[in-house]
Amino acid sequence: MGQSNINKGDLLRIIVAKYGVVIALGIVIALFGIITPNFMSVGNFTNILRSISVITVLSLGLTVALAAGAFNLAVTGIAGFAGALSAGLMVWNQLSAITSSVIALIVGMLMGAAIGLFVIYFRVDDLLASLGAMYIAQGMTLTYTGGLNIYSNMIKPSPGGGFTTAPGRISDGFIFMGQGMVGVIPMPVIIMFIVIVLVHIFLNNTKWGRNIYSVGSNPEAAYLAGIPVNGYKIFAYSLSGILAAFAGILLVARLGSAQIAESQALLLDCVAASYIGFSFLGQGKPNAFGTFIGAALMGIMVNGLSMLGVSYTTQDIFKGIILLLSLAISRLSQK
Amino acid sequence: MDRFVLVTKKLSKRFPGVQALKDIDMEIRGGEIHSLVGANGAGKSTFAKIISGVYKDYEGEIFINGEKVVLDTPQKSFQYGISVVYQEVDSALIHYFTVAENLLMSSVTQYGSFVSQKKLVKIAKEKLKSLGLKLPFDLNTRVSELSVSQKQLLLIFKSLIHNSRLIIFDEPTSSLGPVEVEQLFEIIHSLKERGIAVLYISHRMPEIFTISDKITVFRDGRKIGTFPRDEVTPDDIIRYMIGKSSQKIEISSKEMSNTPILEIHRKSDESQKLVLYKGEVLGLTGLVGAGKTELLKEIYTGSKDLKVALDGKEVRIKTSTDAVKMGIYFLPEERRKEGLLIKENLIWNMLLPSFGDFANALGFMKDKEAAQVSKRFAEKLRVKFADLRQRVESLSGGNQQKLIIARWLIKNELKGARVILFDEPTVGIDVGAKEEIYNIVRTVAESGIGVIFSSSDIDEVLKVADRIVVMRDNKFIAEIERKDFSEEKILSLAAGRHEIVKN
């Protein structure tokens, strides 16, 4: 219908709706580039990418659930437990890095699936159900670790008094995943991009992705078109669990130990990154590259502000502003 | 009485990329029932929304009782005495409030900060009495317990209590059965007697010719003309609306097949059964609320109470997924809510049930092939679109409905349908598109598929069906062959008058 006579105001609105987040990213980079002398360096950008690698993977876990119209606040909880489990299996049970990781991923998947089953079977609100699951996962982490961080040959009080030294180590290969470099590029950055691309392809180019998006877009219409909606919700929750668990494992690899409280702090950033991503290219729905842009925007803000000497307590104000702006932008794209 | 309640001069409204309304001059008198007709996208709703204050950035002038006004908020329009009875009555009422609370909702604050239900009922009673109105249900009833037509009545009375001078009805009968429509018309006539101006927006020719004093036709955002009812015929109006005369459907009196394709028995009531034959269009009709939609959904999504046989073999349907696998497809009544993914594009909506069929062994989508097939079907059904990748929300109701039909025709081509269930497939779409949909339905049946065409619009069922089953109160009450079709008979069966006569 009459696309030729789009006026100037409409055009501006369309541009903002489509490229708003990208433009915001450009402005933020330019601003910091001008005010902060060391900001525009390859080293600093590598730093930023490394700093957002875990949160991007974690946010992708949330994104996949959101794509199916399902909220999963338990991603950080699952990440925490899966991370601790992978470290614990290596350190206490002397399992190999691969075996430990696979077990942790499977446990993450099962936790995700359990949330999905619960939400569907009892028809409860998914946001609150996953909040409950987050508490359970956090409690499981604390119970499993006894409240201690897990590191190679750690020492822990024995139940009978005295101390026990753990027999195993977090293997070097495992730590390479989080700390290694390939040329000038950090390993976790490479892993992050691989996960982004895989999630993107999965959501956009496979029949499962289409069906997940359909379920998220209008579950009733999807059901009446013969799509097994409940199955796809559980599927999406399971994938969300796997990605969250993987983020948890990656975090352990980055830190060289399982810091039990580390992943909990990421929850709100993760929600923000996914939602900022909605407006990427005017898609108006959860998507992999958008989530990355969202995480990058937050990461760059934190990095630039830190370089300017703004304390991290104040930084949250800026994060909040960015989230609010991007929500407004994604609203534009839906008009 | 004779004054113009509403006058508009050069009223125009633009949306991004679309001129929705252009230079509309309208004059509506008190005590006049003025119908506004037009195909989908003609600008009827846009006009109503401007008058009711929904769109603030319109161009042109509006006069109420001769006074020039700016209607930039719904509150303002309401204060000027304009109220709307929307198609979706639910959106205008608060469900967990009582009738009295809803009646006085817009003015409730003027009775003090704390108002008891008792006091509200008293005030409402007095107001209704002073206007000589009587509600056929209790003021203490919760709105959630009312039927659609009772809700409409409530909205009308609410307008009257607040001294409305112009009441706009936006497709008020689309969710009403024939008896309820008659009741509504009586009320509208009484509005006329009170000197209130009525703007009646509708697609339905018989209604418009029953009720109007004047008829205004819109096409493509422009006014074609205003005609006194007695000086035009329905055919004229349809011609003005679509720019050509409507075509009639000819059903050849063919030999009906007697091979049952779908058989349904209700376990809890042995007398309740339905047989659908191969290549037949079975019209399922009855008043709104007779249980047609419920029955179709029971068949499609499974019910413990139904015994279903497909091609003579008993089948067990537990979910829609089972039904689709067996070749039973369903076109839902509520297009936007149950049918479309409004934010997705045409291809996506046409392929919704078929993504798996357009994927390779690894699950990757074959997008080129998918686009080709979608294009072919969109063209075959004459869907009007600029780009297959545009969002479907910008399409008219008729085009949206065609996409959902195309969805099942594509699935049929890939997998082979046995039965297609159409639930109110022509609700809210324009006359031209309706005819096209009847033709598609006939063609589908001629290819050997069994079709159930469910509709409360008896006229269209008579047009399109080979055989009609009438439902009332969730039961099949009559089966009529094409040679015995008669509108009166079906209407009286549906409304239950037949039984009264028998007794």
Side-chain angles (χ1 to χ4, degrees), chain A residues 24-44:
Chain A
L25 191 67
I27 293 173
V28 170
I29 291 174
L31 267 179
F32 283 129
I34 295 163
I35 351 177
T36 340
N38 297 325
F39 183 81
M40 286 285 194
S41 65
V42 176
N44 190 39

Side-chain angles (χ1 to χ4, degrees), chain B residues 143 177 206 219 230 298 345 352 355 376 392 419:
Chain B
V143 165
R219 188 169 76 220
D230 299 336
E298 271 187 296
N345 64 31
L352 189 60
F355 288 131
R376 180 156 55 83
V392 296
V419 173

Side-chain angles (χ1 to χ4, degrees), chain B residues 310-411:
Chain B
L310 189 64
D311 294 317
K313 270 182 289 192
E314 193 175 332
V315 291
R316 182 87 183 86
I317 297 170
K318 285 189 199 135
T319 65
S320 59
T321 314
D322 298 338
V324 172
K325 271 189 199 139
M326 292 169 194
I328 299 174
Y329 305 154
F330 172 65
L331 185 115
E333 175 183 10
E334 294 188 54
R335 205 160 42 231
R336 280 180 80 96
K337 187 167 155 265
E338 306 175 323
L340 292 169
L341 307 187
I342 209 76
K343 301 278 179 212
E344 299 295 349
N345 64 31
L346 278 74
I347 302 177
W348 194 304
N349 275 283
M350 278 188 276
L351 298 187
L352 189 60
S354 317
F355 288 131
D357 306 318
F358 284 97
N360 66 20
L362 292 170
F364 287 95
M365 290 298 298
K366 293 182 273 187
D367 277 321
K368 240 190 199 152
E369 199 183 317
Q372 280 167 0
V373 173
S374 308
K375 184 158 183 276
R376 180 156 55 83
F377 275 88
E379 282 166 0
K380 192 170 164 190
L381 299 192
R382 299 201 297 176
V383 179
K384 286 187 199 114
F385 61 96
D387 183 351
L388 279 171
R389 291 191 167 72
Q390 80 191 78
R391 290 181 176 181
V392 296
E393 63 188 337
S394 58
L395 300 179
S396 72
N399 283 316
Q400 290 177 342
Q401 189 68 294
K402 285 182 188 172
L403 291 181
I404 302 178
I405 297 177
R407 170 189 295 174
W408 293 123
L409 297 186
I410 291 172
K411 191 77 185 175

Side-chain angles (χ1 to χ4, degrees), chain A residues 7-330:
Chain A
N7 66 29
K8 264 190 186 164
D10 295 340
L11 196 63
L12 188 69
R13 193 179 63 78
I14 290 166
I15 289 176
V16 171
K18 225 171 171 176
Y19 303 106
V21 177
V22 182
I23 294 169
L25 191 67
I27 293 173
V28 170
I29 291 174
L31 267 179
F32 283 129
I34 295 163
I35 351 177
T36 340
N38 297 325
F39 183 81
M40 286 285 194
S41 65
V42 176
N44 190 39
F45 277 101
T46 313
N47 260 335
I48 293 172
L49 287 175
R50 185 177 12 220
S51 74
I52 64 167
S53 54
V54 170
I55 192 153
T56 303
V57 175
L58 192 57
S59 306
L60 287 170
L62 177 60
T63 302
V64 170
L66 288 173
F71 221 101
N72 187 5
L73 281 183
V75 280
T76 50
I78 295 174
F81 184 69
L85 185 64
S86 66
L89 290 173
M90 282 185 278
V91 171
W92 290 103
N93 306 79
Q94 289 177 282
L95 295 182
S96 75
I98 293 178
T99 316
S100 312
S101 303
V102 169
I103 291 174
L105 289 174
I106 291 172
V107 169
M109 180 184 79
L110 294 176
M111 288 168 84
I115 301 171
L117 280 169
F118 187 85
V119 167
I120 286 161
Y121 191 76
F122 293 103
R123 298 171 190 220
V124 289
D125 183 79
D126 49 359
L127 188 126
L128 295 174
S130 64
L131 184 69
M134 183 194 76
Y135 279 114
I136 293 174
Q138 280 181 10
M140 282 165 70
T141 311
L142 290 174
T143 309
Y144 175 69
T145 60
L148 300 171
N149 293 334
I150 301 175
Y151 46 92
S152 296
N153 303 121
M154 69 182 285
I155 296 165
K156 141 173 137 172
S158 306
F163 293 92
T164 322
T165 304
R169 296 179 46 77
I170 296 176
S171 79
D172 293 340
F174 186 88
I175 289 177
F176 181 78
M177 212 166 49
Q179 299 178 0
M181 299 284 283
V182 177
V184 291
I185 309 170
M187 206 44 205
V189 175
I190 296 174
I191 290 172
M192 170 184 77
F193 279 118
I194 292 173
V195 176
I196 294 169
V197 171
L198 287 179
V199 171
H200 173 83
I201 291 175
F202 173 77
L203 284 179
N204 290 285
N205 299 90
T206 69
K207 59 179 181 183
W208 305 289
R210 295 284 160 94
N211 283 336
I212 283 179
Y213 270 136
S214 301
V215 167
S217 174
N218 185 346
E220 183 136 18
Y223 178 70
L224 290 177
I227 297 174
V229 169
N230 290 345
Y232 271 100
K233 281 221 159 145
I234 293 168
F235 182 29
Y237 267 117
S238 307
L239 281 177
S240 175
I242 292 179
L243 285 165
F246 187 59
I249 292 168
L250 200 58
L251 185 63
V252 173
R254 260 211 356 110
L255 301 172
S257 61
Q259 310 276 331
I260 51 171
E262 198 66 26
S263 64
Q264 290 174 21
L266 300 177
L267 180 59
L268 295 181
D269 285 6
C270 183
V271 174
S274 291
Y275 272 90
I276 290 172
F278 275 33
S279 60
F280 179 60
L281 300 184
Q283 295 183 60
K285 60 186 184 189
N287 64 92
F289 283 108
T291 300
F292 165 67
I293 300 278
L297 197 53
M298 307 279 270
I300 287 168
M301 289 288 288
V302 170
N303 177 276
L305 291 170
S306 304
M307 286 176 111
L308 284 174
V310 178
S311 88
Y312 89 98
T313 43
T314 316
Q315 288 172 8
D316 277 358
I317 297 177
F318 290 92
K319 284 187 190 170
I321 293 173
I322 292 214
L323 176 60
L324 290 178
L325 277 179
S326 63
L327 287 177
I329 292 170
S330 65

